[in-house]
Amino acid sequence: MWPDRRLLDLIKTEFPIVQAPMAGVMDTDLVIAAAQGGALGSLPCAMLSVEKAREQVNIIRQRVSAPLNMNFFCHEAVEADPLREAGWKQRLGGYHDEFGLDPATPVKAANRSPFDAAMCELVEELKPEIVSFHFGLPESSLLERVKAAGCIVISSATIVREAIWLEENGADAIIAQGAEAGGHRGMFLTENVDEQPGTFALVPQVVDAVKVPVIAAGGIADGRGIAAAFALGAAGVQIGSAYLRCPESRVIAPARVALAQARDDSTVITNVMTGRPARGVANRVMREVGPISQHAPAFPHAATGLAPLKAAAEKLGRVDFTNLWAGQAVRLGREMPAAELTRALAGAALARLSRMAG
Ligand SMILES: Cc1cc2nc3c(=O)[nH]c(=O)nc-3n(C[C@H](O)[C@H](O)[C@H](O)COP(=O)(O)O)c2cc1C
């Protein structure tokens, strides 16, 4: 029924659909529901401690016996630069005045740590069937341990060069993340956001360049998008934004409103929220300070300066400083339980694929 079964044979799910890991806006409930619907459930671990990640995996394992994907960031950690941080605080000074906040109040550092030895030990202990990485792959000694634990390794490429690098360095499947995608660009061999290809251009070129199965990501939110991804040679899809409005996500109420109102032209790529380029629905700080600012501290330190403003605005029901990560097809997302949505996506894709075959 699916024109390419290579991903299904690799990850052993019912459908070739990966529910995208989305750090900060989801936890166990979305993983469980997506897995119950037949997708690969992905637990984002980039903002979790080892203990929290273990706790969440245990909850998922108790509720569902499907394969599980644990997702990690593997950026190069950069120390916060006090000068840059101070300049950033100054840039945000007007907002502090507006919310009656003292910019001198110490703030907890933003918590997005790269995959390290401690997380690697956890992976060895829990043995998730799949481990996916964003921003490349971890150093080879850690990667070897992940593979020795029996995990299938997946990572995102945003250009063909990255896809070839990932295959050469051990990825078992590659997510081709087009520029339409919500959240952080997975880019790691390039810094040029303007050159990032869209999904339609990227997927067939990655398919031509590598032998491992390719998972299309970015702007895929219904059966048409899934069928198109297969037509381009993908063996599966990774879908994020379409799951954001599911009741099982942890998107806060005012952000749900912003996502529900978003249109095809509501998102931009910005670096002001975290210091790394990411696509989201434009909010006030993105519009007024960015969307790209040369003053933004390196990832993830830009988020540290924004944290008190985010908290103060959210208390008032505003998302002026909240990451509204979402892709260009966010409007196609539906407010329905994630298991039901997964089955609807797969059913619609199969119907369209069989019409196309006929
Ligand atoms: C809210 C949000 C958070 C995301 N967080 C992560 C993450 O933690 N790890 C990751 O590998 N990808 C993350 N992504 C990117 C997704 O893996 C995927 O590339 C993207 O959602 C696909 O595009 P779409 O949103 O148009 O479906 C995130 C995406 C969104 C929308």
Side-chain angles (χ1 to χ4, degrees):
M1 299 222 287
W2 294 98
D4 186 326
R5 293 197 53 89
R6 290 186 308 148
L7 184 73
L8 285 171
D9 292 342
L10 186 68
I11 64 175
K12 302 193 168 49
T13 49
E14 187 182 350
F15 302 128
I17 298 175
V18 181
Q19 159 259 310
M22 295 186 283
V25 292
M26 60 166 289
D27 55 21
T28 54
D29 283 356
L30 188 63
V31 180
I32 292 164
Q36 285 170 338
L40 175 63
S42 305
L43 181 69
C45 299
M47 294 172 79
L48 300 181
S49 64
V50 168
E51 295 70 35
K52 260 272 171 258
R54 179 187 290 111
E55 192 185 301
Q56 297 210 353
V57 170
N58 288 338
I59 292 171
I60 295 164
R61 292 295 201 199
Q62 279 163 20
R63 297 270 310 278
V64 66
S65 61
L68 170 66
N69 174 27
M70 287 177 80
N71 170 260
F72 302 93
F73 287 176
C74 51
H75 56 286
E76 212 165 292
V78 179
E79 288 293 316
D81 171 349
L83 257 182
R84 233 180 139 72
E85 296 277 325
W88 189 231
K89 254 189 194 170
Q90 208 173 4
R91 180 71 190 81
L92 303 173
Y95 298 123
H96 286 95
D97 294 346
E98 186 183 324
F99 286 93
L101 297 168
D102 178 1
T105 310
V107 182
K108 221 172 125 230
N111 62 339
R112 292 161 184 90
S113 308
F115 187 71
D116 60 7
M119 277 298 188
C120 193
E121 258 175 51
L122 184 71
V123 163
E124 290 171 319
E125 173 194 325
L126 299 173
K127 297 191 184 356
E129 289 75 8
I130 291 108
V131 171
S132 73
F133 294 104
H134 215 42
F135 314 129
L137 290 170
E139 63 174 66
S140 57
S141 61
L142 293 180
L143 186 68
E144 274 165 29
R145 285 169 56 186
V146 172
K147 295 200 118 192
C151 309
I152 290 159
V153 171
I154 299 180
S155 183
S156 293
T158 66
I159 52 174
V160 168
R161 201 152 45 86
E162 290 173 345
I164 293 170
W165 187 95
L166 290 174
E167 183 175 53
E168 282 174 357
N169 285 276
D172 299 303
I174 288 165
I175 302 155
Q177 189 198 33
E180 299 92 319
H184 285 102
R185 306 293 310 136
M187 53 209 288
F188 60 95
L189 295 182
T190 173
E191 291 191 344
N192 195 332
V193 173
D194 298 336
E195 290 173 1
Q196 293 273 281
T199 306
F200 230 87
L202 180 66
V203 171
Q205 296 187 71
V206 170
V207 168
D208 286 348
V210 299
K211 291 192 187 68
V212 295
V214 174
I215 301 163
I220 301 168
D222 63 15
R224 294 170 295 185
I226 299 171
F230 275 87
L232 295 171
V237 293
Q238 176 156 301
I239 295 180
S241 300
Y243 281 104
L244 284 172
R245 290 168 62 214
C246 294
E248 296 92 345
S249 86
R250 292 287 170 263
V251 176
I252 59 169
R256 274 180 196 272
V257 174
L259 292 174
Q261 290 171 348
R263 299 183 177 271
D264 58 329
D265 59 352
S266 300
T267 70
V268 290
I269 293 182
T270 184
N271 70 342
V272 301
M273 305 305 295
T274 65
R276 254 191 120 99
R279 183 178 291 283
V281 174
N283 63 16
R284 183 175 164 202
V285 70
M286 280 156 71
R287 271 193 294 264
E288 292 177 357
V289 179
I292 300 290
S293 166
Q294 57 181 15
H295 303 294
F299 180 82
H301 307 298
T304 308
L306 286 173
L309 296 165
K310 173 177 181 286
E314 284 181 359
K315 260 193 208 142
L316 303 174
R318 284 157 53 179
V319 287
D320 296 350
F321 304 92
T322 302
N323 294 345
L324 300 170
W325 295 156
Q328 290 178 334
V330 60
R331 185 176 172 72
L332 297 176
R334 282 182 287 167
E335 205 178 315
M336 60 160 71
E340 215 178 292
L341 173 64
T342 304
R343 284 190 284 268
L345 288 168
L350 285 170
R352 188 158 287 263
L353 283 164
S354 82
R355 274 209 303 279
M356 283 160 70

